[in-house]
């Protein structure tokens, strides 16, 4: 078990990782500022990693990069102005993104790619990301609830499996430039009590 808590900045030279969990399962990062690394936090194939109350911004590629593993929780952080995506989660069994501010990233705010167990994006503010606020690619059985998505090019993009059993509940999608919700594939998606305003094309559904 490892816990990193620092009331100070860590600044890189646009290379390496601010925090790297290559050999540290069951660990916590909290109260830390990570600027100008290649990735702010790198989590390769680990179990039970938690990132709390930190500022992970202005990194060259990803704010938080998760590749494989089981149960990562990212809560109460600021994840802004990263060079690719704010958070990227690849092939993870359970990623939980809760109460973060994820703004002004150069591609996607939160990208989930091919996860294996229920994941959740809840109570986040996800604004002004250059392309997508939230992008789900075959990450099924997931919940997107109580988020605010404003001024992204596409608010939420879904490309899911048949019978994906995904829930979109109580989200606010305003002023997204192209679509608030774009469903490219998938079925079994529940869309409940979401608010969509001031968007040229509200919902596009190819599923």
């Amino acid at each position: 078990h490892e816990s990193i808590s620092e009331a100070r900045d860590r600044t890189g030279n646009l290379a390496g990782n601010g925090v790297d969990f290559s050999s540290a399962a069951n660990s916590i990062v909290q109260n830390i500022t990570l600027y100008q690394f290649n990735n702010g936090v790198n989590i390769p194939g680990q179990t039970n990693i938690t990132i709390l109350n930190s500022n992970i911004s202005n990194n060259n590629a990803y704010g938080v990069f998760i590749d494989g593993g089981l149960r990562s929780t990212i809560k109460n952080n600021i994840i802004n102005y990263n060079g690719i995506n704010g958070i990227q989660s690849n092939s993870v069994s359970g990623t939980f993104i809760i109460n973060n501010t994820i703004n002004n990233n150069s591609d996607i705010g939160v990208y989930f790619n091919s996860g294996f167990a229920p994941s959740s994006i809840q109570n986040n503010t996800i604004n002004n990301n250059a392309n997508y606020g939230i992008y789900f690619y075959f990450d099924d059985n997931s919940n997107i609830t109580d988020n605010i998505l404003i001024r992204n090019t596409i608010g939420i993009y879904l490309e899911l499996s048949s019978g994906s059993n995904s829930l979109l509940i109580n989200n606010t999608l305003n002023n997204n430039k192209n679509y608030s919700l774009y469903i490219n594939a998938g079925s079994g998606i529940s869309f409940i009590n979401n608010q969509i305003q001031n968007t040229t094309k509200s919902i596009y559904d190819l599923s």
Side-chain angles (χ1 to χ4, degrees), residues 149-151 172-176 180 195-199:
L149 297 103
I150 298 175
R151 291 186 298 275
T172 299
L173 299 100
N174 291 345
N175 293 293
N176 294 289
S180 282
Q195 298 182 20
I196 297 176
Q197 298 176 352
N198 301 320
T199 301

Side-chain angles (χ1 to χ4, degrees), residues 10-11 22 29 37 67 80 83 106-107 127 142 171 189-190 204:
R10 287 188 182 184
T11 303
S22 294
V29 169
F37 293 91
D67 193 22
N80 295 344
S106 294
D107 190 2
N127 297 341
S142 295
N171 298 287
I189 301 166
S190 298
Y204 189 74

Side-chain angles (χ1 to χ4, degrees), residues 80-102:
N80 295 344
Y81 293 104
N82 295 287
I84 302 178
N85 301 333
I87 299 169
Q88 176 140 345
S89 175
N90 298 331
S91 303
V92 178
S93 293
T95 303
F96 305 96
I97 312 296
I98 304 167
N99 200 36
N100 302 281
T101 298
I102 305 168

